[in-house]
């Protein structure tokens, strides 16, 4: 019965929530590299280098690694991360469910080996997916109020919560299943982003919309309450078919707020174009009998025309 539902319509959240993935066999292999590294000495370091050669560039001497192991700031990050994550079993369970859902939609998916590590607050490298390997920088998920994040802008650090880790992993893996559009009109961009968000809907059906977007609760509330006004602004200002590259900076990229250049700017969350594209794609999936794979192959214009999208408020 579930397969029939999938073929007919992978659409609304209720249907996605009803998917039973419990019988999908997935092996979640987690290597706690940071534990091995920060508990190493000169002798055990040699064995670690053989076990994880891809984490030890040959140009770096042992003295560099020993300095890192004994660096006061890095050891503090290591200490904090162990307190926050403990045995990593709760996260492992979340990741297993994620991998089972991905496997359900993409049968050829193979579970990568997960390697946890400390990257000294390298925000751009919080999650790296390289086919058979998945690197997770656990020092980027210590909690947004931790003092180590004081230098980060609030709109960035608000997502340095461990609850965001599984979302970031899902987003990295989802990038493997479709390509950016060749057309660069604003409609193409927001529909592309909406497809990415719909994949996260499918992979993580029990995660809140706020977490999926990386929004605070008040930000998702603003998006929902002002959907009509945002849509009206895009239509009246003829943005949908515009190829102005600045629109991505204003409405797609991470920012403290979206840039309408009107008085509501500082009340709005950033990336509102992503959120709106997501609603259009959700409407398309609700109103059309297509599979997830068919969605990914459908162009933006067709999705938009067949979505029957209307702002809810």
């Amino acid at each position: 019965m579930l397969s029939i539902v999938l073929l007919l319509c992978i659409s609304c959240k209720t249907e996605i929530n009803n998917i039973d993935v419990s019988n999908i066999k997935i092996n979640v292999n987690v290597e706690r590299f940071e534990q091995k590294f920060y508990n190493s000495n000169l002798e055990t370091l040699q064995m670690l280098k053989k076990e994880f050669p891809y984490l030890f560039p040959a140009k770096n001497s042992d003295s560099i690694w020993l300095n890192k192991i004994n660096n006061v700031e890095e050891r503090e990050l290591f200490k904090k991360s162990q307190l926050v994550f403990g045995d990593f079993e709760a996260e492992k369970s979340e990741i297993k469910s994620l991998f089972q859902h991905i496997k359900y939609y993409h049968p050829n998916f193979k579970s990568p080996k997960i390697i946890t590590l400390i990257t000294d607050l390298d925000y751009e490298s919080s999650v790296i997916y390289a086919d058979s390997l998945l690197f997770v920088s656990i020092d980027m998920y210590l909690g947004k109020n931790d003092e180590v994040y004081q230098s980060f802008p609030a709109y960035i650090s608000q997502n340095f919560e461990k609850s965001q880790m599984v979302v970031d992993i899902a987003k990295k893996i989802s990038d493997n299943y479709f390509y950016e559009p060749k057309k660069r009109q604003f409609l193409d961009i927001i529909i592309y982003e909406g497809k990415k968000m719909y994949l996260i809907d499918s992979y993580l059906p029990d995660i809140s919309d706020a977490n999926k977007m990386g929004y605070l609760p008040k930000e998702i509330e603003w998006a929902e309450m002002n959907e009509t006004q945002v849509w009206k602004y895009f239509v009246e200002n003829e943005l949908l078919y515009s190829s102005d590259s600045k629109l991505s900076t204003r409405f797609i990229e991470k920012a403290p707020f979206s840039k309408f250049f009107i008085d509501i700017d500082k009340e709005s969350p950033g990336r509102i174009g992503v959120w709106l594209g997501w609603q259009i794609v959700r409407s398309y999936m609700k109103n059309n009998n297509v599979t997830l794979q068919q969605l990914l192959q459908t162009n933006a214009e067709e999705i938009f025309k067949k979505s029957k999208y209307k702002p809810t408020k």
Side-chain angles (χ1 to χ4, degrees):
M1 181 64 181
L2 286 173
S3 60
I4 295 174
V5 172
L6 174 62
L7 289 171
L8 289 179
C9 182
I10 303 170
S11 56
C12 66
K13 192 170 182 180
T14 302
E15 289 173 358
I16 292 173
N17 276 335
N18 286 336
I19 290 172
D20 181 8
V21 298
S22 60
N23 291 324
I24 296 178
K25 294 182 180 180
I26 281 289
N27 178 40
V28 180
N29 181 9
V30 179
E31 289 278 4
R32 301 297 299 277
F33 173 79
E34 84 285 357
Q35 293 180 343
K36 295 180 179 181
F37 181 76
Y38 289 100
N39 286 306
S40 291
N41 53 38
L42 182 58
E43 182 179 349
T44 57
L45 182 62
Q46 307 313 312
M47 294 183 286
L48 199 59
K49 289 168 70 175
K50 291 180 180 179
E51 186 179 357
F52 301 95
Y54 39 80
L55 292 176
F56 293 92
K59 65 180 180 179
N60 291 352
S61 65
D62 287 347
S63 62
I64 290 177
W65 302 119
L66 291 171
N67 286 336
K68 281 182 67 67
I69 290 170
N70 295 302
N71 180 278
V72 174
E73 293 180 352
E74 289 199 32
R75 293 202 67 83
E76 181 63 20
L77 288 175
F78 171 60
K79 179 181 177 181
K80 287 175 179 284
S81 69
Q82 302 312 293
L83 291 174
V84 171
F85 289 99
D87 61 9
F88 208 72
E89 285 302 312
E91 289 70 36
K92 189 174 179 179
S93 178
E94 287 184 336
I95 293 170
K96 180 180 179 181
S97 177
L98 166 63
F99 285 179
Q100 286 174 316
H101 280 85
I102 295 175
K103 184 80 172 176
Y104 180 88
Y105 292 106
H106 312 286
N108 292 328
F109 171 76
K110 295 182 179 179
S111 175
K113 178 190 288 186
I114 300 163
I115 299 175
T116 62
L117 65 167
I118 304 294
T119 57
D120 197 17
L121 305 182
D122 184 356
Y123 163 66
E124 298 295 337
S125 302
S126 57
V127 175
I128 296 176
Y129 177 52
D131 191 26
S132 63
L133 297 173
L134 181 71
F135 300 95
V136 181
S137 303
I138 59 175
D139 54 324
M140 296 313 307
Y141 301 97
L142 302 178
K144 64 183 179 183
N145 295 321
D146 195 287
E147 60 185 5
V148 298
Y149 301 137
Q150 286 182 354
S151 62
F152 286 89
Y155 75 94
I156 296 292
S157 62
Q158 72 185 38
N159 286 306
F160 294 167
E161 299 282 345
K162 68 175 182 176
S163 61
Q164 203 65 28
M165 176 189 291
V166 72
V167 178
D168 289 348
I169 292 173
K171 288 181 177 180
K172 280 295 180 181
I173 294 176
S174 74
D175 289 341
N176 272 37
Y177 291 105
F178 57 101
Y179 303 97
E180 290 193 47
K182 292 180 180 179
K183 292 183 178 179
R184 300 305 295 170
Q185 292 178 329
F186 190 53
L187 179 65
D188 296 298
I189 296 171
I190 65 172
I191 295 296
Y192 165 75
E193 295 292 340
K195 286 181 180 181
K196 290 173 68 174
M197 292 304 301
Y198 194 84
L199 271 185
I200 306 306
D201 270 339
S202 305
Y203 298 166
L204 297 171
D206 298 321
I207 298 293
S208 72
D209 283 1
N211 265 33
K212 290 171 188 173
M213 275 296 299
Y215 278 179
L216 298 173
K218 66 179 181 180
E219 292 176 323
I220 203 74
E221 181 180 353
W222 189 96
E224 291 170 349
M225 294 300 296
N226 291 275
E227 183 176 356
T228 297
Q229 295 305 313
V230 172
W231 179 243
K232 183 178 179 182
Y233 179 89
F234 287 171
V235 172
E236 290 183 350
N237 287 275
E238 301 181 346
L239 301 186
L240 295 181
Y241 295 98
S242 170
S243 297
D244 184 354
S245 61
K246 293 180 181 178
L247 293 176
S248 287
T249 303
R250 293 169 60 189
F251 301 113
I252 302 297
E253 297 172 10
K254 289 184 178 180
F257 51 84
S258 295
K259 301 174 182 67
F260 298 91
F261 303 133
I262 54 179
D263 56 2
I264 66 169
D265 278 16
K266 291 189 177 180
E267 299 174 10
S268 70
R271 304 174 67 238
I272 198 66
V274 176
W275 186 84
L276 192 72
W278 187 17
Q279 308 318 305
I280 294 173
V281 172
R282 279 178 164 176
S283 182
Y284 172 77
M285 294 302 283
K286 182 179 180 180
N287 291 302
N288 295 272
N289 293 333
V290 296
T291 66
L292 185 64
Q293 286 72 22
Q294 289 171 330
L295 165 70
L296 301 183
Q297 296 170 9
T298 304
N299 66 56
E301 185 69 22
E302 183 176 347
I303 289 173
F304 176 53
K305 288 181 176 179
K306 293 184 177 180
S307 69
K308 301 178 183 178
Y309 170 72
K310 292 182 180 179
T312 56
K313 294 181 182 181

